[in-house]
Amino acid sequence: MIETIRHHLPQGITLDCRACGAPGKPLLLFVHGFPEGAFIWDGVMTPFSDRWRCVAPDLRGYGHSSQPADVAAYRPKALVQDLVELIARESPGQPAACVIAHDWGGALAWNLAIQHPQLLEQLLIINAPHPGTFLRELQHNPAQQAASQYMHFLRRPDAADKLLADGARRLWDFFRTPAGTLPDWLTPELQACYLAHWQQSLATACHYYSANPLVPPREADRSILQLQLPDSLLSTPVPTQVLWGMDDVALRPELLNGLEQWVPHLTVEPVPGASHWLVHEQPAVVIRSLHQLLLSALTHRTAPAPTQSASTADLPLDY
């Protein structure tokens, strides 16, 4: 059974969370993207609640979580710190067993795994670009530059008002199929949930884009073409699985190229016929992938230790 809990973080932020599974069990942390909320994970979390503590926060700026007015409060460093503190509260003294993240949540999870790899044992990314490949494609791939131009609109001060106008018509367009219809998974009940969520917090959700330095170049501002990120902000030792809906119109599959240079323990699973909204379209794929990750980690922990020579006996046996 899913419950709503609140975590008051030391930086003055409160995160409203959906949770299931007993506190104290190994933590699975589910992180949503734009323009969604914690509720998108309900059907994915519940199959794991028997053995795991499953927690999905409404991120800073969303739903009933804190909504700072200052755009600077949505810089990636502050948002990642929210996840750091949430893990500390839900899994004191232990890393999260896995962080599962989509879209903007995935962007934060990549940074969490890069900056704080000791806080998570595994990472499951769903259609969310790694900062290194995203920067590369924004600088050099005209197709990705064109696909990401919408980000400039979302940085406008009036973006939320325009998106909510006419019954949130422009927001529903985010979800439309190539045929121009709303997908079957977007039921009237779920539409009502989304609309209430947007009316409550869309303006601050858009601050994620306003505070983000990674935006496609345009004639008025081409500074991103000069931006460089050091490997210290790109590399992670955390074992990572990437699920990628190959029909994503905003995030092109070229974003998968070259990931292994920064993520040595990497598995990529392309999902043909799935769009950016893979979590909704094929939840069984997400559940299966997460089951496999958790099983592989359990097998690794419980496997008999190999015979070691005296010179290697002090080496770690983990990843």
Side-chain angles (χ1 to χ4, degrees), residues 96-121:
C98 190
V99 174
I100 305 95
H102 172 249
D103 186 75
W104 252 110
L108 301 183
W110 276 122
N111 280 283
L112 177 71
I114 291 166
Q115 298 168 27
H116 305 279
Q118 75 282 2
L119 295 183
L120 64 163
E121 293 182 345

Side-chain angles (χ1 to χ4, degrees), residues 1-5 16-22 30 37-50 52-57:
M1 179 177 178
I2 294 178
E3 60 176 339
T4 299
I5 60 174
D16 213 54
C17 305
R18 297 181 69 75
C20 57
F30 297 81
F39 59 87
I40 73 160
W41 297 112
D42 285 3
V44 177
M45 292 197 303
T46 50
F48 298 92
S49 61
D50 57 338
W52 312 89
R53 172 64 167 172
C54 302
V55 177

Side-chain angles (χ1 to χ4, degrees), residues 2-283:
I2 294 178
E3 60 176 339
T4 299
I5 60 174
R6 309 201 84 190
H7 279 290
H8 303 280
L9 309 183
Q11 56 266 43
I13 295 295
T14 297
L15 294 183
D16 213 54
C17 305
R18 297 181 69 75
C20 57
K25 291 184 177 180
L27 174 64
L28 303 181
L29 182 64
F30 297 81
V31 195
H32 71 83
F34 180 92
E36 303 198 281
F39 59 87
I40 73 160
W41 297 112
D42 285 3
V44 177
M45 292 197 303
T46 50
F48 298 92
S49 61
D50 57 338
R51 297 183 59 184
W52 312 89
R53 172 64 167 172
C54 302
V55 177
D58 272 337
L59 292 171
R60 177 188 302 212
Y62 284 85
H64 290 288
S65 293
S66 296
Q67 299 179 16
D70 187 0
V71 170
Y74 297 87
R75 290 173 179 160
K77 182 177 180 180
L79 301 172
V80 171
Q81 190 60 32
D82 289 350
L83 300 184
V84 169
E85 297 294 345
L86 184 56
I87 292 172
R89 276 151 180 72
E90 282 286 350
S91 186
Q94 298 292 330
C98 190
V99 174
I100 305 95
H102 172 249
D103 186 75
W104 252 110
L108 301 183
W110 276 122
N111 280 283
L112 177 71
I114 291 166
Q115 298 168 27
H116 305 279
Q118 75 282 2
L119 295 183
L120 64 163
E121 293 182 345
Q122 298 196 91
L123 177 62
L124 177 57
I125 291 287
I126 305 164
N127 284 73
H130 180 279
T133 63
F134 196 37
L135 176 60
R136 182 195 67 212
E137 297 301 300
L138 288 178
Q139 290 176 329
H140 302 294
N141 185 343
Q144 186 59 61
Q145 291 171 354
S148 295
Q149 287 298 318
Y150 72 93
M151 298 173 72
H152 289 291
F153 172 79
L154 293 175
R155 291 160 65 92
R156 290 171 43 162
D158 62 349
D161 289 339
K162 289 187 175 297
L163 288 171
L164 288 171
D166 193 20
R169 176 182 57 81
R170 291 190 181 187
L171 279 166
W172 298 125
D173 288 346
F174 282 33
F175 300 107
R176 293 190 187 277
T177 68
T181 60
L182 291 177
D184 291 341
W185 60 262
L186 193 53
T187 63
E189 293 78 14
L190 190 54
Q191 289 180 49
C193 182
Y194 270 110
L195 188 57
H197 189 67
W198 295 336
Q199 290 170 337
Q200 188 175 48
S201 56
L202 186 64
T204 45
C206 287
H207 287 346
Y208 280 60
Y209 292 92
S210 302
N212 179 28
L214 296 185
V215 291
R218 56 180 182 175
E219 291 304 320
D221 182 7
R222 304 181 70 80
S223 58
I224 191 175
L225 297 178
Q226 308 304 319
L227 182 62
Q228 295 184 353
L229 296 175
D231 277 351
S232 62
L233 296 180
L234 300 173
S235 300
T236 179
V238 175
T240 301
Q241 166 111 356
V242 175
L243 289 178
W244 202 271
M246 297 300 284
D247 292 346
D248 193 328
V249 297
L251 298 171
R252 295 183 55 82
E254 291 89 344
L255 290 163
L256 299 173
N257 297 340
L259 269 179
E260 62 280 355
Q261 67 179 302
W262 296 304
V263 191
H265 303 289
L266 174 69
T267 304
V268 176
E269 182 180 347
V271 186
S275 76
H276 184 71
W277 313 110
L278 173 61
V279 173
H280 301 287
E281 294 167 350
Q282 299 193 37

